Amino acid sequence: MEKLLFNKKALMSFVMISILLVGMTYSSQFLVQSTSAKKSSPDKISGTDSTSNAVANNNNNISIALNALELKNETYRWQNTTQGINPTLHLIAHTGYVIKIKNPTDAKHELIIGSNGTELAKSNSINPGKNKNFVFNANTTGVFEYHCEYHPDTMKGIIEISSQ
């Protein structure tokens, strides 16, 4: 009986990982927006320098979906495609990523990636009802945080970047 339960858990894990991978490889119809990073260097997460670079590199980047989610009393959270709230993002170093942000709420949001109070990259403002693609490169391993400029206490999470 325990072996059957283990097989169900393994199957559920496989299904969840498969769904996440399909979501990450989904190609968007939206124009990739450029971002610029404050205090970025080759060993940190950095934004893309130009829109043409972002579009040209889009085929080589891995996609991650994050949506703004409004709960009761105008409380906001980030949500991924598996319905995770303020999910921990597990990324691989030396890899380009496109975070596809949807904002179906009635408030403005802005995704910021930082470390120890230093802003490393940002999406710029995402107006209500709009979408934005945020391109950045994970150029080093480590633990970083992400949050919304306008809702930093409720829209926040962790980014773990590993070598594999």
Side-chain angles (χ1 to χ4, degrees):
M1 187 74 171
E2 287 183 34
K3 187 174 183 180
L4 180 60
L5 182 59
F6 173 76
N7 288 338
K8 286 181 183 178
K9 286 181 182 179
L11 178 62
M12 288 304 293
S13 295
F14 175 76
V15 168
M16 294 304 287
I17 290 170
S18 298
I19 290 170
L20 182 59
L21 289 174
V22 168
M24 289 173 53
T25 56
Y26 174 78
S27 63
S28 175
Q29 297 175 348
F30 300 104
L31 176 66
V32 175
Q33 301 281 326
S34 67
T35 60
S36 60
K38 284 186 181 178
K39 299 181 183 178
S40 65
S41 66
D43 64 335
K44 295 184 179 177
I45 297 173
S46 62
T48 301
D49 293 333
S50 71
T51 302
S52 60
N53 250 353
V55 173
N57 291 334
N58 191 29
N59 291 336
N60 298 325
N61 292 332
I62 296 173
S63 297
I64 299 172
L66 270 183
N67 301 325
L69 173 67
E70 184 174 1
L71 303 175
K72 295 179 182 179
N73 302 324
E74 295 184 2
T75 301
Y76 300 97
R77 302 282 195 272
W78 293 113
Q79 183 178 47
N80 64 6
T81 57
T82 62
Q83 309 301 311
I85 302 296
N86 292 333
T88 297
L89 303 177
H90 301 278
L91 308 180
I92 299 171
H94 310 293
T95 303
Y97 290 88
V98 176
I99 299 178
K100 298 177 179 194
I101 304 168
K102 291 184 180 181
N103 181 9
T105 71
D106 58 357
K108 189 186 305 188
H109 301 287
E110 180 175 353
L111 179 70
I112 296 178
I113 297 173
S115 177
N116 298 321
T118 301
E119 185 179 296
L120 301 173
K122 64 181 182 177
S123 66
N124 295 323
S125 292
I126 307 154
N127 289 323
K130 299 294 181 183
N131 303 317
K132 184 171 279 192
N133 289 349
F134 170 43
V135 179
F136 72 93
N137 294 307
N139 289 328
T140 189
T141 60
V143 177
F144 303 89
E145 62 268 357
Y146 67 91
H147 68 273
C148 174
E149 173 71 18
Y150 306 104
H151 311 96
D153 295 330
T154 61
M155 296 181 81
K156 60 184 179 179
I158 300 294
I159 298 174
E160 294 177 349
I161 302 176
S162 64
S163 59
Q164 292 184 3

